[in-house]
Amino acid sequence: AQTVTQSQPEMSVQEAETVTLSCTYDTSESDYYLFWYKQPPSRQMILVIRQEAYKQQNATENRFSVNFQKAAKSFSLKISDSQLGDAAMYFCAYRTRYGGSQGNLIFGKGTKLSVKP
Amino acid sequence: SAVISQKPSRDICQRGTSLTIQCQVDSQVTMMFWYRQQPGQSLTLIATANQGSEATYESGFVIDKFPISRPNLTFSTLTVSNMSPEDSSIYLCSVEVFSGRTNEQFFGPGTRLTVL
């Protein structure tokens, strides 16, 4: 079974600085998806960024980028120029490539990010 | 993308009662998922609901406790039956949508349930 591990329960960053959130996962599959979701206090889960395992290039979305190390099964999220609105719980998630009931997301325990003004 | 609404947004219930949570999507989707997020915890999948078939439950979740309906491609309900304080959680509905070459999951705003 696949597992997702986030070893940092809490992180803090100064506004405008850069922070990296760690995520490792375990799987025997070769093709899959990885995601970072953001959950602010409003509870709404928001997709931040997505990485397809077959792609070697790291995904980037504006101030958010990932460092995907497939061999090491590592998938870290870098937030540049941190803003107060980035404060939230961040969840790393894994999904098998194929659909059906196996297409559900497997989540890590989350990292609570605080942004200091 | 998909816009998902859930009702109620929150509720406080008495032990032994049941609550039905509704999930409405603005487009037709095949796959719908129900997740539970216990206080301070991550999301755990309860079941997958496909229209026209019985829901598929994950280990540790049973139909008698969490009956699910999926009457059409835009709507689903999750009932939390015979509630106890341990059922206090946020319950989230999620749908899977094709986005280019990949599937993407969108989440509803969640229902915060407190059982006294």
Side-chain angles (χ1 to χ4, degrees), chain B residues 94-113:
Chain B
S94 168
V95 303
E96 189 169 71
V97 176
F98 270 106
S99 177
R101 290 192 57 212
T102 183
N103 296 352
E104 192 167 319
Q105 281 198 21
F106 297 89
F107 287 83
T111 296
R112 182 183 293 275
L113 170 62

Side-chain angles (χ1 to χ4, degrees), chain B residues 68-96:
Chain B
I68 288 172
S69 77
R70 183 80 201 275
N72 57 53
L73 291 173
T74 63
F75 186 79
S76 177
T77 67
L78 169 76
T79 299
V80 186
S81 304
N82 188 25
M83 288 183 285
S84 67
E86 293 71 34
D87 295 320
S88 297
S89 294
I90 297 171
Y91 292 86
L92 297 107
C93 168
S94 168
V95 303
E96 189 169 71

Side-chain angles (χ1 to χ4, degrees), chain A residues 12-27:
Chain A
S12 180
V13 63
Q14 204 72 32
E15 194 175 9
E17 298 289 305
T18 296
V19 65
T20 299
L21 308 184
S22 301
C23 173
T24 59
Y25 59 94
D26 190 28
T27 183

Side-chain angles (χ1 to χ4, degrees), chain A residues 33 35 37 39 41-47 50 52 54-55 89 91 95 97-110, chain B residues 4 9-10 31 33 35 37 40-45 48 56 58 90 92 96 99 101-112:
Chain A
Y33 302 114
F35 305 87
Y37 279 88
Q39 187 181 41
S42 66
R43 304 196 307 263
Q44 181 71 56
M45 291 286 284
I46 303 166
L47 178 64
R50 175 181 65 210
E52 295 165 75
Y54 72 89
K55 290 185 177 179
M89 282 291 289
F91 292 99
R95 182 193 177 285
R97 177 158 173 77
Y98 304 102
S101 61
Q102 295 173 337
N104 61 284
L105 295 168
I106 299 169
F107 287 90
K109 291 187 180 295
Chain B
I4 305 168
S9 61
R10 59 176 61 220
M31 305 293 296
F33 304 92
Y35 289 85
Q37 186 178 23
Q41 301 297 314
S42 185
L43 283 74
T44 302
L45 182 68
T48 303
T56 302
E58 298 299 304
I90 297 171
L92 297 107
E96 189 169 71
S99 177
R101 290 192 57 212
T102 183
N103 296 352
E104 192 167 319
Q105 281 198 21
F106 297 89
F107 287 83
T111 296
R112 182 183 293 275

Side-chain angles (χ1 to χ4, degrees), chain B residues 19-68:
Chain B
L19 176 72
T20 295
I21 303 168
Q22 299 179 5
C23 177
Q24 180 75 51
V25 190
D26 69 341
S27 58
Q28 294 185 338
V29 295
T30 302
M31 305 293 296
M32 294 184 78
F33 304 92
W34 285 98
Y35 289 85
R36 181 175 73 181
Q37 186 178 23
Q38 294 178 301
Q41 301 297 314
S42 185
L43 283 74
T44 302
L45 182 68
I46 297 172
T48 303
N50 288 342
Q51 194 269 336
S53 63
E54 295 236 344
T56 302
Y57 289 82
E58 298 299 304
S59 175
F61 298 97
V62 295
I63 187 171
D64 290 346
K65 175 68 176 178
F66 297 102
I68 288 172

